[in-house]
Amino acid sequence: MLAALLALPGCKREGEASAGARLALDAAIPAEFPRETRLSIGDPTVQKQLQLSGDIDRLPFRVDWQNISGGPQTVEAFRAGALDAGAVGDTPPIHATFTGLDVKIITVQVREKPIYELATAPGVRLASIQDLRGKKIAYSPGQAQGALVQRVLNKAGLSPQDVTLVQLSSSEFKEALTSRQVDVAPLSGIILLRYLNEYRAEGASSIPHGVRDNLSFFYVRRAVLENADKAAALAEYAKWRTRAQLWAYEHPEAWIEAYYVKDQGLTAREGRFLIESAGKPHYPADWTEAIALTQETVDLLAEASGQKRFEARTIFDLRFQTIGAEVAGAAQGAGPTDRPATAGRSTP
C-alpha cells in the first residue's frame, strides 16, 4: 500500500515538455511534473536517512542538497534565493514572517517527547523553572529556543525583566554555559548529551521545562509554491521525507551505527538514548492543534518583541495537510495516530 501511495502522483515521461506554469496558492497541486524538476533542499538528517534506506536514488526529481538547517541559516538562504525548502523547529517560520519573508509550512511533525531541557552552567542550581529568577539565560530570538524561553518564563510567572536574556545563536549556547557567560540555556539532542557527559562532574545539570516544544516544520519560500512543477515535486518530497523518518525509527540499530556512531562520533549507547528520548514521530492529519499552538507562540513573541501580530493559519499550506499522515498510516497498515502517547524522561 505504501509503495502504491508513493507512486500515485507521477512524473511526466522523459522528454515530455513541462509548462512550468504559475500556480495560485489556492489551486490544487498538480499530480505530474517533469523528471528534471530541481529542488534546493536543506534537510541534512533526512538526506542521511534517505541514503541509508536506499530511497535517495528513487526520488522522482532532482535535488541539490544543502547542508543547511535551523532558522537563521534557512532564512538567510531563502533571502538569497539559494534554498527552496528547509527543516526547522516551530519558531523560524514565525520569525521569518515577522521580518517580511513570505514562507509556508508544508509538513508538521510532532515528536513524542520534549525536544529541549534547561541545562545549567557548572555549579548553578536549578530545581524548578521558578528558580530562573535572576539568572542569565541564553536567548536566540529567531529560533525555537528563543520562543521556548519566553514560554517557560510565562509559565513560571516571570517576565523578561526578572532575568537577564543574553542574545546568542543556539550554536553558541554550550560554550556560553561552559564559560559561565550564561547560567541557563535550552539544549537538546547530541549537544545536551555531550555537555552533560563532559561537565556533569563539575556540577552541570538539566531539568525538564514543562512546556510544549515538540513541533517541527518543513517550510518553503512562497515563490517556490507558485511554480507548479516545484509544488508538485514538494508534495512528493513530503511523502519520501515521512517514509525516511519512519525508516530510521523502525531500524534503530542501523540508524545508530550509521548516523550517531559513524557520522556524529557518539557511542551506540548514547545513540540509543537519543532515539529513546525522541520517541516515535507522528504526523497529524489535522493541523488545527499545530496552528493553535503556533498562534500562541506568535502572540507571545509579538508582545515580547513589539512585532506586528499575524494569523498563524496564513503560514500553513493546508494542501499538504494529510500527506504525512497518509504515508504513516500506509506504512503501519492502519490509520495514522494523530496524538503521541505521553512518555516520561529517560537518562543515558
Side-chain angles (χ1 to χ4, degrees):
M1 183 178 177
L2 178 57
L5 178 62
L6 288 168
L8 279 177
C11 298
K12 296 180 180 179
R13 294 186 299 273
E14 291 285 1
E16 184 177 343
S18 170
R22 184 177 177 85
L23 185 71
L25 290 183
D26 59 354
I29 296 174
E32 294 186 337
F33 53 91
R35 290 186 184 277
E36 62 268 20
T37 300
R38 185 173 292 275
L39 297 172
S40 177
I41 295 176
D43 204 3
T45 303
V46 169
Q47 178 186 358
K48 187 73 172 178
Q49 290 165 345
L50 286 165
Q51 290 170 341
L52 292 171
S53 69
D55 280 343
I56 200 163
D57 295 326
R58 300 175 60 200
L59 297 177
F61 46 80
R62 313 295 184 192
V63 180
D64 294 321
W65 295 105
Q66 309 294 337
N67 189 26
I68 292 173
S69 62
Q73 283 191 327
T74 57
V75 166
E76 183 179 356
F78 279 172
R79 290 195 186 282
L83 190 70
D84 292 330
V88 289
D90 63 352
T91 304
I94 298 172
H95 179 71
T97 304
F98 279 157
T99 60
L101 189 61
D102 207 345
V103 298
K104 294 287 185 181
I105 294 163
I106 65 169
T107 80
V108 173
Q109 181 183 339
V110 182
R111 178 174 156 136
E112 194 170 32
K113 302 177 185 179
I115 297 173
Y116 296 98
E117 292 191 9
L118 298 179
T120 66
V124 173
R125 296 182 63 83
L126 195 68
S128 72
I129 59 174
Q130 281 71 35
D131 293 336
L132 290 171
R133 184 184 296 274
K135 299 293 192 296
K136 294 180 292 183
I137 305 174
Y139 181 69
S140 180
Q143 298 183 272
Q145 296 92 327
L148 175 68
V149 168
Q150 292 286 353
R151 289 196 291 265
V152 170
L153 291 177
N154 192 52
K155 181 174 182 178
L158 302 173
S159 74
Q161 289 70 45
D162 293 320
V163 300
T164 300
L165 297 178
V166 181
Q167 188 164 324
L168 301 165
S169 69
S170 61
S171 61
E172 299 172 305
F173 283 7
K174 179 185 172 185
E175 183 178 347
L177 285 169
T178 61
S179 65
R180 313 295 178 89
Q181 183 181 355
V182 298
D183 299 316
V184 180
L187 298 183
S188 67
I190 293 170
I191 295 174
L192 174 63
L193 186 59
R194 285 175 172 165
Y195 174 69
L196 293 177
N197 285 346
E198 292 170 19
Y199 293 96
R200 186 182 281 112
E202 297 180 26
S205 63
S206 68
I207 66 167
H209 50 68
V211 300
R212 183 78 177 262
D213 80 331
N214 60 345
L215 284 178
S216 61
F217 299 139
F218 187 71
Y219 75 143
V220 304
R221 292 183 292 122
R222 170 179 170 154
V224 176
L225 294 176
E226 292 175 338
N227 179 302
D229 292 339
K230 287 197 171 190
L234 282 165
E236 276 292 287
Y237 181 70
K239 296 178 182 181
W240 291 98
R241 185 176 196 269
T242 302
R243 176 185 169 105
Q245 291 172 327
L246 290 172
W247 177 91
Y249 175 77
E250 292 162 0
H251 298 81
E253 295 306 318
W255 180 236
I256 288 167
E257 178 63 23
Y259 181 68
Y260 288 115
V261 176
K262 292 183 177 178
D263 193 73
Q264 298 295 314
L266 299 179
T267 66
R269 182 169 177 264
E270 290 169 336
R272 198 166 294 110
F273 163 72
L274 291 172
I275 287 181
E276 291 171 356
S277 297
K280 186 175 184 178
H282 294 264
Y283 308 89
D286 182 343
W287 290 354
T288 301
E289 184 179 11
I291 293 170
L293 290 168
T294 302
Q295 187 67 64
E296 291 177 7
T297 306
V298 169
D299 295 345
L300 181 64
L301 294 181
E303 181 179 0
S305 66
Q307 296 284 352
K308 184 178 179 182
R309 178 189 182 277
F310 64 89
E311 293 295 324
R313 57 180 171 77
T314 63
I315 61 173
F316 288 80
D317 192 328
L318 297 183
R319 295 175 298 177
F320 293 79
Q321 181 173 217
T322 63
I323 291 176
E326 289 169 354
V327 172
Q332 296 164 7
T337 300
D338 289 349
R339 292 181 180 273
T342 301
R345 189 169 167 232
S346 55
T347 55

